[in-house]
Amino acid sequence: MLCRNLNFTIRNQESWALLGRNGAGKTTLLHCILGIIKPTEGSIAIDSVPLQNYTRRELAKRVGILFQDETNSLPATVLESVLLGRHPYPKPFFRDCPEDLRSVEDLLRELSLETIKNRKIGSLSGGEVQRVAIAMLLAQEPNIFLLDEPNNNLDVGYQINLLEALKHKINKKKGSILMATHDINFAARFCEHFILLLNKDEILIGNKQEILSPQNLSKAYDCQISSISAEGKTFFYPT
Amino acid sequence: MINFKHYLLLLFLLGLAIFALLFSLLSGSIDLSLTQVINQLSNPTDELLSQVLIEIRIPRTLAGFTIGGLLAFSGVIMQVLLRNPLADPYILGVSGGAAVGALCAVLLGLSGLLITNLALVGALFSIFLVFGLSSAFRNWSSTRLLLTGIVVSAGWGAIINIILATTASNNVQSILFWLIGDLSQSEVGFNHYLLLIIGLIGGIAIGRSLNVLSRGDTVALSLGLNLGFFKILLYFAASIFTAMAVTVAGSVGFVGLVTPHILRLLGARDHRILIPSSMILGGSFVTIADSLARTVIAPQQLPVGALTAVIGVPAFLIILRTNIKR
C-alpha cells in the first residue's frame, strides 16, 4: 500500500502536478490511471466510465503517458517510433495510413525533429530521446496526458518550449495534464493544481496557492525549503 | 513504416528463393539441367531421373525451405518477446528437449516415425517445463523466462552428454543428427506447410502489434495492445513452430538467430515486412546450405547445420561491417 484516501477529479484543460519523494508512489499512480496497475481499493473513471469498462485500445485513445527512460534493444528510427503513437487508431491491413504519415511529419517539424527523423533511436542523445517520446505522445492524441518526469534530460530551453507546445495542443484539443516531477518550480510554472504526497496517510490536494508553501514542501521532502518572490512569481529552494 | 525499398527487398528475396529452390533441385549426386527437370516433370521418360526428382529432390528441397521459414519466424518472434537480439528459436530449450526425446527413442531401439514423435514429446515437455518453472502465466518477466530457458537447455545438454558418453559408438552418429541438424531423413508434411502459411499470413496481420511490443510491455500497453493473451499466444506459436522444425531436421542452428538481424540491417525493421522477408530468406538460406551440404564433398553428405553456420557467419559479419561504415 503506497497511499490511501486519494480523491481528486481532473477537469478539461486543467494542469495538475504530482509531487512527492522518491518511492512515494508517483509513477505507480500514473500507471493506475493508465490501467496498467490495478489499485487495491477504490476506482478510477474517465468521463464517468470506470477504467475497467474500456478496452485497451479505447483507453489508449484517451490516456497517454510520457515514459521515464524507455530503452530499446531492437533498432527503430525516429519517424518509425513517432508513428507508433498512432497505433490505437484504425488502419488499412498492410499499408501505412497516409493521414497518419502526414500528421506525424507535421509533428516532427513542429518539434524540430525533422533533421533527425531517419536516425536510429540508439544513436540519439538523452534529450533527443525525450523529445521523440514527447512526439510519440502527441501523435497518440489522448485527452489525458500523463507525464512522468517530462523535463528529464532536457535543457532549460526545451523544457520550456516543449511544455508550452504541449499546453498549446491541450488547450486546442481540450485535454488535461497530470505530471509527476521533482522540479517544484517547473511544476509551479505550468500547473494550477497540485497533489503533494506527504506520506502513506497524508496527501494534500488543492490549487497552487493552497499547496505550494514552504511548510508543506519542507514536510513532504523532509528538508528545509524556503521561498522567494521575484517578478510576481514565487520560487522555492532548499536552504 | 513501409516504403518502396521494402517492396524492392521483398522482390529481391523472392528472386533469391526461386534461385535457391532451382539450385537445390538441380544439384546433388546426379546433376540435372533445368530442361531435364521440366521434361521429367511434364513427360517422364527416364525412370531413374524422375524417381530422383519426385522422391528425393523435390521433398528435400521443400523440407529445407519449410524448416528455414519456420525457424526464421520463431527467431523473429522470440527476439521481440524477449526484447533481446541474442534470442533464437531454441532459447526456451526446445531443441534440447527434442534431442533427448529422440535419443531415448534411439536407445530404446525405436525407429522412423516413433523417433520423430518422441522428439516432439520432448520438445513440448521442455516448453511446458520452462513455462511452469518460470511461472510465466502469473508473472510476465521475460528475464526470468530467458534464464529458465537457458538453465533448462543446459540441463538437456548435460543429459545429452551423459547419453553420448555412455552409449556405443555406432549410435553416436544418429545422435549427432539431432544436435547439428540434418535434412537427409527429413519428411515434412501437410502440418508443416500449414504452419508455414499460418505464420506468414498471421505474422503480417500482427506485424503492427509486434512493432509496438518490441518497445516493451509498458509502451505496448499504453498504446492499446492487450498483452497477456497475445504474448502467451506468441510464445506458444514460436515454440510449436520450432518444435515442428526440430523434430524433422534436428536443431539447425544460426537461421533463426541471424536471418532477422540481416534483414533489420537491410532496413526491414517493420514486422509487416520483417516477418515475410525473414521467412523467405530463412527458407532460401537453409535450401542453399542443404544443396551445398549434399554436393561439396559428394558422394559424402554433410549435415546442413554445419553449412548454415559456414555461410551465415561471414554473410552476417560482412553486412554488419558495411552497415557500421555507412
Side-chain angles (χ1 to χ4, degrees):
Chain A
M1 174 72 82
L2 278 162
C3 58
R4 62 177 97 236
N5 298 328
L6 180 58
N7 192 352
F8 64 99
T9 308
I10 300 179
R11 292 189 173 77
N12 245 335
Q13 296 182 311
E14 284 182 353
S15 294
W16 285 67
L18 180 56
L19 300 178
R21 301 198 69 177
N22 292 136
K26 298 190 294 295
T27 300
T28 307
L29 179 60
L30 295 186
H31 283 187
C32 283
I33 299 172
L34 201 61
I36 294 180
I37 300 173
K38 286 196 179 63
T40 39
E41 272 172 36
S43 68
I44 300 165
I46 296 171
D47 295 337
S48 320
V49 178
L51 219 54
Q52 59 273 17
N53 290 9
Y54 287 99
T55 63
R56 271 258 138 247
R57 200 172 277 267
E58 286 305 314
L59 203 54
K61 290 178 187 170
R62 289 171 173 80
V63 193
I65 190 167
L66 180 73
F67 288 99
Q68 230 173 315
D69 21 60
E70 257 311 311
T71 46
N72 190 32
S73 47
L74 299 172
T77 65
V78 169
L79 179 58
E80 287 162 351
S81 305
V82 178
L83 200 55
L84 287 184
R86 300 298 302 163
H87 185 262
Y89 300 94
K91 288 177 191 51
F93 175 75
F94 185 73
R95 280 179 29 251
D96 291 304
C97 175
E99 290 88 58
D100 285 356
L101 279 173
R102 215 169 311 125
S103 68
V104 165
E105 293 275 359
D106 287 345
L107 256 178
L108 292 177
R109 212 166 310 124
E110 260 173 70
L111 301 182
S112 13
L113 288 166
E114 212 184 12
T115 47
I116 57 165
K117 71 175 182 184
N118 291 320
R119 293 240 324 257
K120 304 259 173 65
I121 296 291
S123 74
L124 301 180
S125 74
E128 286 166 333
V129 171
Q130 184 75 347
R131 280 156 60 202
V132 172
I134 292 173
M136 230 168 124
L137 178 61
L138 285 173
Q140 192 182 342
E141 293 185 342
N143 301 117
I144 302 166
F145 288 74
L146 305 174
L147 311 177
D148 202 352
E149 298 295 344
N151 47 0
N152 251 4
N153 290 323
L154 293 177
D155 66 43
V156 176
Y158 277 124
Q159 285 182 22
I160 303 304
N161 291 338
L162 286 175
L163 244 289
E164 292 290 355
L166 204 60
K167 281 205 83 164
H168 180 69
K169 285 255 171 202
I170 290 162
N171 287 336
K172 227 168 53 183
K173 258 206 73 184
K174 297 205 190 311
S176 30
I177 290 181
L178 172 60
M179 68 162 84
T181 180
H182 290 297
D183 190 334
I184 304 166
N185 295 313
F186 180 76
R189 182 183 174 118
F190 287 105
C191 302
E192 302 87 46
H193 305 271
F194 282 77
I195 301 169
L196 185 60
L197 304 172
L198 291 179
N199 56 50
K200 204 161 95 170
D201 296 303
E202 212 176 345
I203 298 160
L204 300 177
I205 299 171
N207 59 31
K208 183 153 65 180
Q209 289 72 27
E210 293 163 354
I211 304 299
L212 286 193
S213 69
Q215 296 82 348
N216 287 342
L217 292 170
S218 301
K219 192 173 172 197
Y221 291 102
D222 201 15
C223 76
Q224 198 55 49
I225 290 176
S226 305
S227 68
I228 184 171
S229 290
E231 297 179 24
K233 288 176 191 159
T234 309
F235 296 91
F236 299 89
Y237 62 96
T239 50
Chain B
M1 60 179 286
I2 297 173
N3 58 32
F4 180 65
K5 271 196 250 166
H6 294 129
Y7 292 112
L8 275 185
L9 180 68
L10 276 181
L11 210 62
F12 167 76
L13 289 172
L14 283 176
L16 181 71
I18 291 168
F19 166 79
L21 294 174
L22 285 178
F23 182 57
S24 172
L25 281 184
L26 302 184
S27 53
S29 52
I30 309 172
D31 274 326
L32 297 173
S33 73
L34 190 56
T35 38
Q36 272 176 305
V37 171
I38 293 165
N39 285 341
Q40 286 307 318
L41 287 180
S42 55
N43 177 25
T45 45
D46 187 326
E47 204 166 302
L48 177 69
L49 273 188
S50 76
Q51 209 175 358
V52 165
L53 204 56
I54 288 166
E55 282 172 25
I56 301 173
R57 290 282 168 84
I58 292 179
R60 184 147 177 185
T61 301
L62 290 177
F65 196 88
T66 307
I67 283 156
L70 292 176
L71 288 175
F73 176 89
S74 302
V76 175
I77 300 290
M78 285 299 185
Q79 285 171 6
V80 171
L81 282 172
L82 298 166
R83 286 227 299 154
N84 190 325
L86 296 178
D88 77 355
Y90 309 124
I91 201 122
L92 299 185
V94 174
S95 64
V100 170
L103 286 188
C104 292
V106 171
L107 291 182
L108 291 171
L110 305 173
S111 62
L113 205 59
L114 284 172
I115 300 182
T116 313
N117 286 343
L118 221 56
L120 185 62
V121 170
L124 294 178
F125 176 72
S126 186
I127 296 168
F128 284 107
L129 187 68
V130 171
F131 272 101
L133 287 176
S134 60
S135 58
F137 296 110
R138 263 170 292 143
N139 183 3
W140 280 109
S141 151
S142 43
T143 314
R144 193 191 292 188
L145 199 61
L146 193 64
L147 263 179
T148 314
I150 289 171
V151 170
V152 168
S153 295
W156 291 127
I159 296 174
I160 292 166
N161 287 341
I162 290 168
I163 296 176
L164 281 179
T166 52
T167 40
S169 60
N170 58 343
N171 276 340
V172 169
Q173 205 62 31
S174 61
I175 288 167
L176 279 179
F177 165 94
W178 292 97
L179 303 181
I180 304 175
D182 189 343
L183 289 173
S184 57
Q185 318 280 326
S186 297
E187 271 181 43
V188 302
F190 176 73
N191 291 340
H192 290 87
Y193 301 135
L194 186 68
L195 278 190
L196 197 69
I197 291 166
I198 290 176
L200 188 68
I201 296 172
I204 295 171
I206 60 167
R208 281 201 183 89
S209 304
L210 292 174
N211 291 343
V212 175
L213 187 61
S214 70
R215 295 311 182 85
D217 289 3
T218 332
V219 175
L221 277 167
S222 76
L223 286 176
L225 195 66
N226 227 334
L227 275 192
F229 178 70
F230 186 58
K231 283 181 75 172
I232 294 173
L233 184 78
L234 285 181
Y235 271 117
F236 271 98
S239 305
I240 297 292
F241 276 47
T242 310
M244 289 296 279
V246 168
T247 47
V248 293
S251 15
V252 180
F254 224 67
V255 187
L257 173 69
V258 116
T259 312
H261 283 302
I262 289 178
L263 290 164
R264 281 195 199 100
L265 290 173
L266 293 176
R269 292 176 298 268
D270 192 303
H271 291 82
R272 285 170 286 168
I273 296 293
L274 185 60
I275 293 268
S277 52
S278 288
M279 292 177 83
I280 299 171
L281 182 61
S284 311
F285 183 26
V286 173
T287 310
I288 292 173
D290 185 52
S291 311
L292 293 175
R294 281 182 279 134
T295 48
V296 278
I297 55 161
Q300 233 185 311
Q301 298 204 357
L302 285 166
V304 65
L307 263 281
T308 48
V310 170
I311 304 169
V313 170
F316 181 66
L317 290 178
I318 289 167
I319 291 173
L320 188 64
R321 217 181 136 66
T322 48
N323 208 269
I324 290 168
K325 273 191 204 145
R326 250 194 286 148

